[in-house]
Amino acid sequence: MMLPLTKKDCDDKPYKSKSRVLEKLAGWVRLIISDRDSRNLFCFLILNLCFAFVELFYGIWTNSLGLISDSFHMFFDCTGLVAGLIASVIAKWRATDHFTYGFVRAEVLAGFLNGLFLLFIAFFILSEAVERLLEPPEVKHERLFLVSVLGLLVNLVGIYVFQHGGAHGHSHGGGGHGHSHGGGHSHDSHKHDDHNPSFLSHGHSHDHDAGHGHSHNGASHFHSHGGESGGTGANKQIMRGVFLHILADTLGSVGVIISAGLMWAFEWYIADPICSICIALLICLSVLDLIKESAFILMQRVPYSIDNQLPQCYQRLMQLEGVLSVQEPHFWTLCSDVYVGTVKLEVSRNADPRYITQNAQLIFQGIGVKKMTIQLDFLLT
Amino acid sequence: MKRFWNHFIQLSRVLKSEDRDNYFYSSNLMDCLNFISLFDEQCAISTSYMRLADSASVKRYGEEESATLPVDQSNGELLSNSCPCVTSANTTTDESMHACSNCGRRFAGNSKGITIKIEASNVQVVRPTNVVTAKEKVDDAFKLKMFSDSGEHCHDDEHRHVTDNGARRKLWIASLLCVVFMIGEAVGGLLAGSLAVATDAAHLLTDFAGFMISLFALYISERPATKTLSYGYHRAEVIGALTSVLLIWVVTGILVYLAVQRVVMQEFEINAPIMLITSGIGLINGMYFASTWSQPWRRCQSWTQPQGHGHSHNAKPKTTAAHANGGFVRSVEDPENTDHTDPKETSCESDSSSNAQVAVAKPNINVRAAFIHVVGDFLQSVGVFAAALTIYFEPTWVIIDPICTFLFSILVIGTTFAIIKDTLVVLMEGIPKGIDFNEVRETLLQVKGVYIVHNLRIWSLSMDKIAMSAHLAVEPGSSSANSILRKSSQLVKSKYGFCEVTIQIEDFNQSMQDCRKCQELNY
């Protein structure tokens, strides 16, 4: 039996669309699993999703609005994790001719969007808390105590994992961490009895590893800590954003627990909204740093790490033979640790272009800018 | 804390428009002189003789120099051979306006002398009646360069950004209306005790926040470049628009959540007449905006002009300085700046001066974001109105309320996709629509002497400003390198309107053919 000599593989049977989609998905999953950070993210996402689904079904089964709304809140938080995952997948795509620098910026964008998201959440917690201050509703908290403790444990796992590996897991933080979803954010639901115990209390008493981040000054320490230990350079922004998300959730759970305790022990119903306000402020403060940094990267600011080395570079450039002036230097960050620069040098007529170009490139490589474009303008006189 | 305060002071200074218009700075002396030449005669000028600095010399980093235009002290007229463009004497032909016959530069007829102080790298124009200094100085890293030939410069002239007053006015009006409606609805809702009205007021609040963000972004993006933000603040526009649109998403998400809650709890508090009134007001609001803001979508009426520009030296004297460099693409051989258009006029002339492939003239992205807010609000009002009508006539069909919410939320999210895609392309450093990567490569390859184009990168600084950088491998032989550089820069600037072009010329050698890293992007 003769073996076929040719194999027609591209004419009549195109891929069925279904298998192509599945293949794409499989490819993405492989990509996620290959990198340690995104693998952690993925696992944590699955964990949270399981938790959220369990909570949802339990809530529907027992017909408890508080549980249902809290599970929705968890799903809502999942989106931050999903955004981080998507960004880490996108950042690995190769450059196309529509995106000549590739897709590495996705990382910075993910950090920025996560930060914005958290800021919005903080605002809504604040508005909710103010509402509760004006009309203190009655709270019932027995059933949710267990759930919030469980959620806290999940969050702690997340913090532990992502502090070292960086990745941002959204921890749903269990029942009723003071986010607005936790029941009663609209007027009509004030009628429902099954409110979540409100919100967050001072997280200062919380003793997880990143505990020093709770105060305002500590926030900056905290970020640099999380940032340094977080992942590889390429994933830094994503991991920071995700980590902040988990932190916000943890603060929420802690707040719920403590305020529930306070209310049970001392009947201080006013503790509720006050705690929420504090937590909202804390979240705001902790997120501002990330937003500022991402915004500057997106605005193409000169990278911080080479900021004070640049004047020296210009001096050294001027010392090259033939260089008369340095015009229009532009340096910006593409993603973490990848810097791009362009500069225009005015050179005299008989200068050696290759010498100048090579040395200029060396000078800039010395400070870490690997992608340089150097334009030499010869003076005609 | 002090830093915050300083920032705040700076910000408030920037926002006062008089400050912005009071200074002009440029790292190019010629540009400065052009600007001065547009002053009318009321601008009193002090007398001083000034020595023109040696026009062929190049200032060293850190030096200071005063360059002045020589003036005949007896009658105050500028000496004809004082034009910095020439080294030999010329006579002028124009008598009312003192004009150099060589380069056409003009000076105010009876000016007695103009002082230009050149400091380290930037040029301040000092008007003797009111001495104004630049509030933002381009930093010392730049150098002043003076050429004896007025033609070729290696960089584009700094251009005055045409402040987009039309856009700002619209946004201010919109926010004012928004506030008025919001207060009205809040009061009405309190009196009537209705939830629908209260949520609508909250929705208007987020619209207001969106408008404020857009306005803020518009103001910030006008600021000139600094040393650390070397491209300027243009990206602020895009970031502001993105934030504004994300706000819509968040609000829509919350509304959907509320609707879901209602469905689950099966508890509806519907007060149909009040809902009708509220949504009716919302509809009217939306229709007003739709009518006044529908113009932006027509192609030729643009509120911002495409900022691709070549050298724009000679501005017509009758135009005000603000419009003088409202850059249009212009090839270097044509010394006359063709025209400028008032931002509110209908004109399609922006493309006429060259066969430019500038990106399609759409309105400012912040205005678009605000428009999306308005559209979203309008759609929600339509949904509420429809639901209210149904419930009014059929009081048992209360389920229609959440269903309408879902449907119209999906619509609202759908309207945001276009603008989010645009902003994401800019922020991800992608090529803007309308520019074809391969075509740019082909254009560069057409220049005689260019063998290979590699590391071609094109990205957007803002919606209408595009930057490009590339490495060209040319045939070895250094004499042609400079002319190839000039030619390719001019070509690409005039054809595509890129506003920042940086080209590195390398000598071609055979190993480049096979170098894998230099291969064209595969896709």
Side-chain angles (χ1 to χ4, degrees), chain A residues 174-242:
Chain A
H177 32 132
H179 296 275
S180 50
H181 308 281
H185 46 141
S186 59
H187 296 275
D188 55 350
S189 56
H190 275 172
K191 300 203 178 79
H192 303 303
D193 295 334
D194 209 348
H195 275 252
N196 285 325
S198 71
F199 294 52
L200 321 171
S201 71
H202 312 281
H204 297 283
S205 54
H206 196 58
D207 58 341
H208 60 256
D209 294 342
H212 57 89
H214 289 302
S215 63
H216 175 38
N217 298 332
S220 48
H221 286 300
F222 173 64
H223 293 306
S224 58
H225 182 60
E228 278 157 13
S229 63
T232 59
N235 279 335
K236 206 159 71 158
Q237 297 285 333
I238 303 180
M239 297 317 172
R240 264 178 77 183
V242 166

Side-chain angles (χ1 to χ4, degrees), chain B residues 295-324:
Chain B
Q295 283 129 347
W297 306 135
R298 268 182 260 154
R299 188 180 191 270
C300 290
Q301 265 178 330
S302 66
W303 287 356
T304 59
Q305 301 148 5
Q307 290 285 349
H309 60 117
H311 304 285
S312 47
H313 281 297
N314 305 319
K316 294 203 186 115
K318 8 188 216 311
T319 68
T320 60
H323 286 211

